Amino acid sequence: MATLELRPLGNTGLNLSCVGFGASPLGNVFGQVSEEDAIASVREAFRLGINFFDTSPYYGGTLSETVLGKTLQALGVRRDQFIVSTKCGRYVEGFDFSAERVTRSVEESLARLKLDYVDILQCHDIEFGSLDQIVNETIPALQKLKEAGKIRFIGITGLPLNIFTYVLDRVPPGSVDAILSYCHYSLNDSALEDLLPYLESKGVGVISASPLAMGLLTENGPPEWHPASAELKIACQSAGQLCKEKGKNISKIALQYSLANKAISSVLVGMNSVKQVEENVAAALELMTKGRDEETQKEVEAVLKPVKNQTWPSGIQQS
């Protein structure tokens, strides 16, 4: 029986499951999730080979972290069997990347997660703060937490790709271990691809989130708040319809497209039910054993070509 592929994350020594469990839905970000369903989802994810769980104090106003902490505790497995990533700097009340706040933030997150340390601590959506503060104050503060054993590795996240080069070109080598990019490695936007050689040269691991472009690449379509242009939404809807008429599911085609690039250590997908977990893992295993449906993928890419790499301003996001 095929098992979920594990991929190295930069120079960290961590091996992440190619499908990562995005825990923002556990914070009721996309509708109510019962504690029972949350525990069942995480348990099934772990059983099927997912070892990477990502959250943030911003998701559901700390609820996602709290629920994830309970579910991981309910697993009853050794701490070294799973990898946890959380974030700092973005909260329901706003952004604060000061050394004092991020230091306090880590302690708060550890209490909610019921952990002694987190594997990866990421500065959350840094484009909303001062990038120079991230370089000169936030990352040095996180280095101290790393030395204290509270966090193992340091990451940065955000939507615009140029924020990563700005920070990585200004911090000492090895200060940042990973980046989390979202909505830039999917069927409609593969702009992250151009950055991958640079990140590899820096020894920085790559996590990609939102392979479904925050709902654009689903049969049901994006939520009302989605910031994409009408043109992009219509094109994605047409691509979804094309797949449906062929008896295919655009979400599976999109996820497999993102998973196929092995320079990306893990593709984060938000999950809140056993069914979602099973579908995502099945798509990954199918890719490993049978390969992609390249014919349908090419047809979808042709539909999306006029809007390829069309992004939107930073604003509403679930990174």
Side-chain angles (χ1 to χ4, degrees):
M1 183 179 167
T3 55
L4 213 52
E5 183 184 4
L6 298 179
R7 298 178 182 173
L9 180 70
N11 294 334
T12 64
L14 297 176
N15 290 302
L16 274 52
S17 51
C18 60
V19 176
F21 189 105
S24 67
L26 302 188
N28 295 338
V29 172
F30 301 102
Q32 291 292 121
V33 182
S34 70
E35 194 170 300
E36 185 183 13
D37 284 345
I39 289 172
S41 303
V42 169
R43 191 181 295 280
E44 184 68 356
F46 186 76
R47 188 183 77 79
L48 293 176
I50 292 176
N51 71 352
F52 177 45
F53 300 86
D54 176 84
T55 183
S56 166
Y58 174 63
Y59 301 149
T62 73
L63 182 61
S64 172
E65 280 189 329
T66 302
V67 174
L68 183 62
K70 285 181 182 176
T71 62
L72 291 172
Q73 191 176 52
L75 279 180
V77 299
R78 289 202 328 263
R79 174 65 183 89
D80 63 359
Q81 297 295 295
F82 56 85
I83 295 163
V84 176
S85 160
T86 192
K87 306 184 182 79
C88 65
R90 182 169 201 180
Y91 313 98
V92 168
E93 58 272 22
F95 293 89
D96 188 343
F97 292 101
S98 66
E100 186 276 330
R101 183 67 187 101
V102 299
T103 302
R104 187 158 42 92
S105 182
V106 171
E107 297 293 349
E108 293 165 355
S109 290
L110 290 174
R112 286 189 288 267
L113 289 163
K114 304 180 190 296
L115 299 175
D116 295 326
Y117 66 89
V118 290
D119 298 282
I120 310 165
L121 194 283
Q122 305 178 79
C123 304
H124 196 174
D125 290 337
I126 59 173
E127 68 266 32
F128 292 98
S130 156
L131 295 183
D132 290 328
Q133 182 186 33
I134 300 293
V135 169
N136 298 314
E137 183 179 350
T138 316
I139 289 172
L142 298 187
Q143 290 285 0
K144 289 180 182 175
L145 289 163
K146 191 174 180 179
E147 288 160 16
K150 302 286 184 181
I151 63 179
R152 293 178 68 197
F153 301 104
I154 295 167
I156 51 179
T157 88
L159 182 65
L161 293 172
N162 60 0
I163 60 174
F164 300 123
T165 51
Y166 186 94
V167 171
L168 291 169
D169 285 343
R170 287 166 176 78
V171 295
S175 303
V176 173
D177 302 291
I179 65 112
L180 189 161
S181 169
Y182 71 104
C183 291
H184 284 310
Y185 201 86
S186 54
L187 283 167
N188 61 294
D189 186 334
S190 58
L192 176 62
E193 195 159 23
D194 293 338
L195 199 60
L196 293 176
Y198 165 87
L199 293 167
E200 186 180 2
S201 75
K202 293 280 187 180
V204 173
V206 182
I207 300 160
S208 181
S210 293
L212 310 185
M214 301 194 308
L216 282 173
L217 301 173
T218 60
E219 286 189 353
N220 294 333
E224 280 184 29
W225 51 258
H226 201 293
S229 69
E231 182 190 19
L232 178 52
K233 287 178 181 176
I234 290 165
C236 289
Q237 188 179 16
S238 299
Q241 188 59 35
L242 179 149
C243 292
K244 200 170 184 180
E245 285 167 6
K246 294 186 66 167
K248 313 282 183 177
N249 185 301
I250 191 167
S251 297
K252 185 169 91 167
I253 303 282
L255 177 56
Q256 290 181 335
Y257 171 84
S258 297
L259 285 168
N261 191 327
K262 296 196 178 190
I264 293 168
S265 301
S266 189
V267 177
L268 272 176
V269 190
M271 304 186 223
N272 62 12
S273 71
V274 168
K275 181 172 182 281
Q276 287 178 355
V277 171
E278 290 173 345
E279 287 174 351
N280 292 326
V281 172
L285 294 178
E286 182 183 282
L287 177 66
M288 285 170 58
T289 55
K290 297 180 184 175
R292 283 184 270 184
D293 180 349
E294 294 196 20
E295 182 190 329
T296 305
Q297 182 188 305
K298 282 176 183 165
E299 289 179 36
V300 167
E301 287 181 303
V303 172
L304 297 176
K305 191 174 180 183
V307 293
K308 183 76 169 176
N309 292 354
Q310 184 186 107
T311 188
W312 46 80
S314 296
I316 303 168
Q317 66 272 302
Q318 304 295 336
S319 73

